[in-house]
Amino acid sequence: MSRIGKLPVPVPAGVDITVSGALVTVKGPKGSLEHNVPAPINIAQEDAQLVVSRPDDERNSRALHGLTRTLIANMITGVTQGYEKKLEIVGTGYRVVAKGSGLEFALGFSHPVVIEPPAGVTFAVESPTKFSVSGIDKQQVGEVAANIRKIRKPEPYKGKGVRYAGENVRRKVGKAGK
C-alpha cells in the first residue's frame, strides 16, 4: 500500500470540495481549482477529509495512487494559502522592473525581455534584483518561475543570471585556476 496514498487528505474549514465522477473541484478563499482523476483511482469524502483509494495492486494503479492524493492536497493548499516562488537576479546591470501586470528584465541582451503573467499568476517586485511569482496552482507557479529562470540561467563561472532564492550555483574555476 502506498504510504502517501493511504493518508487521508484533511479538508480545512472554508474549503468546499465537490466530487462528481472523475472530476474533483476545490473552492476556497483564494479561488477554485479542478482536477480530472485518472480511471482506476476512487475518491470518497468522509467527514472533513478525502480518502483516495485504488482497486488493485497493478503497477499503474500504484503509481497513480500517491500522485492523485498529493495533487488533491496541493489543490487544497493552493486555494487556502497559495504558492510562491522567490527568484533573484545576480549580475552587473541585470535588473527587473514591473510593467503593468508583467515584468521587464534587463539581462545583458540587446533588448529588454518582457514577460506577461498567464491567468492565475501574479508577479511582485521587491527590489531591482528580487521578485516573486505567486498563484494558487503549484504546477503553474513552478512552470512560470522555471521559464523565467530559463531566460538567463546562472552560469558557472561568475554565477550571473536568474536563480531561485537560496539556490546554490556550482562554480567552476576559470582559466587562471589550475
Side-chain angles (χ1 to χ4, degrees):
M1 191 76 181
S2 168
R3 276 187 253 175
I4 292 173
K6 69 181 178 182
L7 295 173
V9 182
V11 180
V15 175
D16 181 41
I17 295 185
T18 310
V19 180
S20 58
L23 188 70
V24 177
T25 306
V26 180
K27 291 181 183 158
K30 289 192 177 268
S32 174
L33 292 171
E34 50 185 41
H35 174 66
N36 210 347
V37 178
I41 306 299
N42 301 317
I43 299 195
Q45 192 166 6
E46 298 173 2
D47 300 329
Q49 55 188 11
L50 283 178
V51 178
V52 179
S53 59
R54 65 177 191 243
D56 51 33
D57 277 346
E58 287 186 24
R59 184 178 183 89
N60 189 36
S61 299
R62 289 197 321 257
L64 292 171
H65 189 199
L67 171 71
T68 303
R69 188 251 178 226
T70 302
L71 289 175
I72 292 171
N74 287 346
M75 287 169 39
I76 292 171
T77 305
V79 298
T80 53
Q81 300 159 5
Y83 288 99
E84 182 180 46
K85 286 268 191 186
K86 292 185 179 288
L87 291 98
E88 53 192 28
I89 301 173
V90 176
T92 307
Y94 289 11
R95 61 182 170 72
V96 62
V97 178
K99 289 279 186 187
S101 62
L103 297 175
E104 183 178 283
F105 293 92
L107 296 173
F109 298 118
S110 61
H111 54 80
V113 179
V114 179
I115 301 288
E116 289 298 324
V121 174
T122 57
F123 297 134
V125 178
E126 297 154 30
S127 73
T129 59
K130 294 185 185 200
F131 65 99
S132 63
V133 179
S134 56
I136 61 172
D137 187 355
K138 185 175 187 176
Q139 188 266 334
Q140 190 179 30
V141 168
E143 185 176 357
V144 169
N147 286 338
I148 290 173
R149 182 181 179 273
K150 202 187 302 180
I151 296 168
R152 179 73 90 180
K153 286 184 184 172
E155 53 96 17
Y157 296 101
K158 291 186 178 179
K160 292 166 57 170
V162 180
R163 63 173 79 170
Y164 297 115
E167 179 182 359
N168 185 20
V169 176
R170 291 185 64 187
R171 303 292 292 273
K172 290 182 177 178
V173 181
K175 285 190 218 173
K178 284 191 175 180

